[in-house]
Amino acid sequence: MGTRLPLTSVVRNLPEMVPFVGPETFERRQGRALRVRLGANESVFGISPVAAEAMSAAAAKAWMYNDPEAYDLTEALAQAHGVPQTHVQVGAGIDELLGLLVRVFADVGEPVVMSDGSYPTFAYHVVGHGARLVGVDYQNGHVDLAAMADRARTEQARLVYMANPDNPMGSWCAARQIEHFVDAVGEDCIVILDEAYADFAPTEAIVPVLPLRPNLVRTRTFSKAHGMAGARVGYLLADPSIVEILGRVRNQFGVNRIAQAGALASLSDAGFVHRVVESVTVGRQQLSALAERLGLSCLPSATNFVNIDVGDGERARQILQQLLERDIFVRMPSKPPGDRCIRVTIGHAEDHEILIDALAEILNGLPG
Amino acid sequence: MPQKAPKFLDHIERMAGYIPGEQPRQADIVKLNTNENPYPPPPSVLERVREAATQDLRKYPDAAASGVRERLSRLLGGSPDNFVIGNGSDELLNVILRCFAGPGDLVTFPWPTYPYYDKLIDLQQAKPHPVPLDDDFQVAIDDLVHPESRITLLANPNSPTGIGLSRESIDELASRCSGILVVDEAYVDFSAGGAIEIAQKHPHVIVTRTLSKSFSLAGVRVGFAYAHPTLIAGLWKVKEHYNVSSLSQVAAEAALDDIDVMRVNAERIIATRMRLSNELRTRGFFVWSSEANFVLARIPVGDAGHVGDAQPLFEALKERGYLVRHYGQQPRLSDCLRISIGSDEQIDGLLDTLDHVVEGD
């Protein structure tokens, strides 16, 4: 009945993409568990024990609806960032918030600008809502802010997206450049500044929260440094008018009760997050050193992952496939210039060693 | 520095937000306003969530929610490919609207019903076609059939009425309606109904359900849709990848593994529902015959025979610690209260309080 489904024109025209393939799907296909899971930039350092305890307690009240306003969590986030609550919106992960932003700012056919090959889920939302994706090339592995601003102006785009630090490149732009960029695109254009990896970035990369710019929306997550990817909690900081409008269109109960409690507790455990960030920094150096021993260089990273340069896209694809055959899950950037790399999440030392050993073996079997 | 307000899409700027039922922050109030289940889920839910809320929570959830889909197919029939899991059935309704109703497309639904439908239609710039329930609050099938309708939304049992439509009528509607028929079965486990067999017969029928009500998991957010695999694959194209948290997935798996707990709880609620309905009728209320975990009750007509307003009674109950649902001055509902079925103790307390209020205590 495929062709007879009365789909809207937007959905009918979506590319024939396979549904998103997660690591569990790989495991089911292989019929066994992964040995090393370093593909999704999850934190191997787990969650705060304070958060675990809070979630355990919240589970006893699972029969009750969650607070649709996520009041306590929103208040705590507002305090943490020194802004009023009206500037904060919590969502079921950054992904949900990105979808909502596309929905309120980009009409069918309208241009939305992002770096070509940057965060695929944002691109998925743009296409899924029928807007038009306008890609701008990276420059030397960095988001090309000048070219992005030019493109946003010539296209008269109302929405641009950048991740800082960038995923998948791992690079970062300085706060001052970003502020300049936000001004340069013009007040009619909203800049989404995705700061999923901000916890791992140097302070020079972080735009001060105040003063808030009405056309700047910043997204943050509990999935990375807080180690709570499975709970689905993200939030954004934005002008109150944007928060208000998202309140009209969002899934009111989208952040479940247990997740709200866990995020709130994790936020109070600053020492935990600090230790995770330190461990990631050490892990980045360790992994880079191991890669260098194989004669491979790594791109500089301000995130919890490292891109190991294996020469070209074809080699990267082959390596990825062969790693998977050895039950090692990593990913690779989808487009140039990043696609000459495999992207490896920072793991424990032993994860790195298993990966590097496998990599050495695979490289031996590949032609020059 | 620019200080101009951001420009939203026109239809977003115009639309009103959905106002969910009140979630009071004080702990001592008896909540009979959002149809939560007064009885806990099986203890295994708590255990599984506690296990999941540990180091493993660092992993993204299974994007396919395979464990939940496999269990559903075993319990309800079909294969896992007949199911998609959502962050509450609200998310799935949103996905369905995005898939099948574009700007200007007609979406038909009985009215009054779940008010969230209206919001989702606005969001898609589709055209709402509300069909009034008849004088007895029954769904009139003939009126619901519209040749240009892209989606027909049928909450069954309906909210806020609690009234169910027979399987034969739904089957007839499925045969006659154009476009997609969505049967929203949030309350089905408190009724004798269920349209999955109808969806097995008709490839344009989607059944949505939730674990919020009968499974006592409102705070966990798990809903699902059953339909032909081709249709499910279409929904899959636009849903969030990681829409259902790992915590929610394990809670749902545990609740489905122990489904007898749900069945026992539902039986208790049905018994209490009958008792509450009768008690209210004795007190002069008109109570519609409900197949859900709530009842809709019209307050007794005053001595002068004037049309009543249930607002004062709603306020008086709330003041005394009982929160029920009132729909303000919404036509046909201003003299009604919707009361969720709590535990027997809660319902006894409500009835006592009601008697005190009426006696002017």
Side-chain angles (χ1 to χ4, degrees):
Chain A
M1 69 176 255
T3 50
R4 283 180 26 238
L5 270 186
L7 295 167
T8 64
S9 53
V10 168
V11 176
R12 195 169 50 241
N13 294 331
L14 287 181
E16 270 304 322
M17 52 185 142
V18 269
F20 177 77
V21 179
E24 281 73 15
T25 309
F26 285 128
E27 290 183 331
R28 276 190 296 276
R29 281 181 194 163
Q30 303 277 90
R32 56 182 189 266
L34 289 165
R35 205 148 53 104
V36 176
R37 177 171 163 138
L38 297 179
N41 301 340
E42 297 153 338
S43 171
V44 295
F45 306 103
I47 63 169
S48 150
V50 184
E53 201 173 308
M55 286 187 275
S56 208
K61 291 183 175 173
W63 60 273
M64 232 194 270
Y65 272 101
N66 39 323
D67 177 5
E69 295 168 34
Y71 184 93
D72 295 337
L73 178 56
T74 306
E75 176 59 28
L77 289 167
Q79 280 186 19
H81 290 289
V83 295
Q85 265 212 34
T86 49
H87 291 273
V88 182
Q89 179 63 59
V90 173
I94 287 178
D95 288 356
E96 185 194 33
L97 295 168
L98 293 178
L100 291 175
L101 289 166
V102 171
R103 206 164 188 184
V104 303
F105 287 115
D107 226 331
V108 173
E110 281 197 332
V112 177
V113 178
M114 75 185 292
S115 292
D116 201 16
S118 187
Y119 188 45
T121 300
F122 182 73
Y124 171 82
H125 284 306
V126 171
V127 175
H129 286 288
R132 181 164 57 86
L133 202 57
V134 177
V136 173
D137 289 342
Y138 286 102
Q139 168 128 41
N140 298 326
H142 285 74
V143 174
D144 188 344
L145 290 173
M148 292 257 291
D150 279 351
R151 205 60 197 275
R153 277 194 305 262
T154 52
E155 294 272 0
Q156 295 187 304
R158 287 203 271 181
L159 194 59
V160 300
Y161 170 91
M162 71 172 293
N164 194 56
D166 184 68
N167 178 21
M169 298 306 295
S171 59
W172 55 279
C173 296
R176 285 180 52 194
Q177 295 173 298
I178 294 171
E179 287 175 312
H180 179 71
F181 171 68
V182 172
D183 291 339
V185 295
E187 57 194 12
D188 288 330
C189 180
I190 301 289
V191 176
I192 300 175
L193 176 61
D194 184 348
E195 298 185 316
Y197 298 94
D199 291 315
F200 308 106
T203 47
E204 308 93 279
I206 306 302
V207 177
V209 171
L210 295 171
L212 282 153
R213 289 149 196 268
N215 64 329
L216 177 62
V217 180
R218 318 168 66 148
T219 57
R220 299 277 179 107
T221 183
F222 284 86
S223 297
K224 306 299 176 189
H226 290 268
M228 292 178 55
R232 315 308 302 127
V233 191
Y235 62 99
L236 59 77
L237 302 171
D239 189 79
S241 64
I242 296 177
V243 171
E244 193 273 325
I245 220 109
L246 293 176
R248 298 190 211 171
V249 305
R250 71 192 174 89
N251 183 355
Q252 298 295 325
F253 294 96
V255 184
N256 72 65
R257 172 173 284 276
I258 305 163
Q260 286 187 30
L264 181 63
S266 189
L267 200 59
S268 73
D269 195 354
F272 173 80
V273 173
H274 184 71
R275 287 191 296 279
V276 169
V277 170
E278 280 188 340
S279 306
V280 166
T281 309
V282 171
R284 269 195 319 238
Q285 289 158 357
Q286 197 234 3
L287 180 59
S288 306
L290 287 174
E292 273 163 30
R293 258 192 253 163
L294 300 184
L296 301 172
S297 63
C298 297
L299 310 193
S301 168
T303 64
N304 70 342
F305 60 83
V306 162
N307 277 304
I308 303 177
D309 190 340
V310 296
D312 63 61
E314 188 44 41
R315 278 170 77 84
R317 262 178 289 278
Q318 284 177 10
I319 291 169
L320 213 64
Q321 183 54 39
Q322 293 194 36
L323 284 171
L324 200 55
E325 283 160 15
R326 291 163 167 80
D327 302 326
I328 298 171
F329 169 60
V330 301
R331 287 199 193 272
M332 62 179 283
S334 63
K335 292 189 175 166
D339 71 346
R340 67 181 194 277
C341 301
I342 58 168
R343 193 195 69 178
V344 183
T345 307
I346 299 307
H348 295 297
E350 53 274 27
D351 298 325
H352 297 164
E353 277 151 23
I354 296 172
L355 168 85
I356 291 292
D357 288 349
L359 200 52
E361 234 178 77
I362 293 166
L363 287 171
N364 273 336
L366 287 181
Chain B
M1 169 157 163
Q3 284 299 333
K4 198 168 131 184
K7 177 83 179 79
F8 303 98
L9 299 180
D10 291 341
H11 72 282
I12 302 280
E13 186 84 57
R14 279 195 307 270
M15 73 178 275
Y18 172 68
I19 300 163
E22 188 179 347
Q23 302 294 332
R25 297 184 54 75
Q26 66 268 40
D28 53 347
I29 202 153
V30 178
K31 272 188 87 260
L32 301 174
N33 68 326
T34 54
N35 305 336
E36 288 147 332
N37 196 314
Y39 304 112
S44 53
V45 167
L46 205 60
E47 286 158 30
R48 292 291 310 279
V49 171
R50 282 183 178 157
E51 283 163 27
T54 57
Q55 300 310 300
D56 260 7
L57 197 64
R58 69 188 178 82
K59 295 183 189 170
Y60 279 90
D62 176 7
S66 306
V68 183
R69 284 163 55 233
E70 276 158 21
R71 284 166 175 80
L72 287 170
S73 67
R74 279 205 301 271
L75 288 165
L76 299 172
S79 88
D81 292 340
N82 288 109
F83 293 91
V84 61
I85 316 299
N87 184 0
S89 50
D90 284 354
E91 188 205 10
L92 296 172
L93 292 168
N94 187 348
V95 167
I96 291 166
L97 267 286
R98 275 180 65 190
C99 281
F100 298 108
D105 288 342
L106 206 65
V107 181
T108 305
F109 52 96
W111 186 255
T113 190
Y114 187 29
Y116 191 59
Y117 298 159
D118 228 4
K119 193 196 103 161
L120 294 173
I121 294 165
D122 281 356
L123 197 49
Q124 279 300 97
Q125 304 180 69
K127 196 169 147 199
H129 176 49
V131 176
L133 297 171
D134 73 12
D135 291 343
D136 302 321
F137 278 171
Q138 302 285 333
V139 173
I141 299 255
D142 288 340
D143 301 342
L144 217 51
V145 174
H146 191 294
E148 282 155 39
S149 196
R150 298 295 299 266
I151 304 179
T152 305
L153 296 165
L154 179 75
N156 194 55
N158 195 13
S159 174
T161 66
I163 296 172
L165 191 63
S166 73
R167 206 174 263 126
E168 295 69 34
S169 300
I170 297 171
D171 204 3
E172 187 194 335
L173 181 60
S175 305
R176 291 173 58 195
C177 76
S178 57
I180 298 289
L181 172 64
V182 180
V183 189
D184 177 355
E185 297 192 328
Y187 301 102
V188 74
D189 293 321
F190 307 104
S191 79
I196 284 185
E197 280 169 37
I198 296 168
Q200 281 164 352
K201 234 167 53 178
H202 300 278
H204 64 288
V205 174
I206 308 174
V207 175
T208 61
R209 291 191 182 178
T210 175
L211 272 62
S212 295
K213 313 294 181 185
S214 55
F215 285 91
S216 311
L217 290 177
V220 164
R221 317 307 304 135
V222 180
F224 63 90
Y226 176 98
H228 190 281
T230 311
L231 206 154
I232 291 292
L235 303 183
W236 210 283
K237 272 185 160 187
V238 301
K239 86 166 182 74
E240 282 297 333
H241 302 323
Y242 294 121
N243 56 338
V244 185
S245 82
S246 316
L247 304 161
S248 312
Q249 293 190 31
V250 298
E253 289 169 14
L256 292 169
D257 284 341
D258 232 338
I259 195 166
D260 285 343
V261 172
M262 179 282 275
R263 290 184 180 130
V264 170
N265 290 345
E267 286 305 321
R268 291 166 80 181
I269 287 164
I270 290 168
T272 310
R273 178 181 77 202
M274 290 171 71
R275 192 166 69 82
L276 174 65
S277 302
N278 291 333
E279 291 285 349
L280 288 171
R281 285 178 187 128
T282 325
R283 288 165 174 78
F285 286 76
F286 182 87
V287 184
W288 282 270
S289 180
S290 169
E291 293 188 42
N293 68 337
F294 57 84
V295 296
L296 186 71
R298 181 183 286 153
I299 60 168
V301 177
D303 290 340
H306 61 80
V307 177
D309 178 358
Q311 182 78 26
L313 180 56
F314 166 80
E315 297 289 355
L317 289 171
K318 187 176 171 185
E319 222 167 82
R320 289 163 180 78
Y322 288 87
L323 187 60
V324 299
R325 190 85 182 251
H326 180 241
Y327 293 86
Q329 294 313 304
Q330 192 175 313
R332 305 176 76 184
L333 292 174
S334 60
D335 56 352
C336 296
L337 295 176
R338 192 192 68 179
I339 305 169
S340 306
I341 306 301
S343 64
D344 280 311
E345 194 191 346
Q346 288 172 331
I347 293 301
D348 287 342
L350 173 79
L351 289 167
D352 279 351
T353 308
L354 194 61
D355 292 339
H356 285 304
V357 170
V358 172
E359 285 159 20
D361 192 3

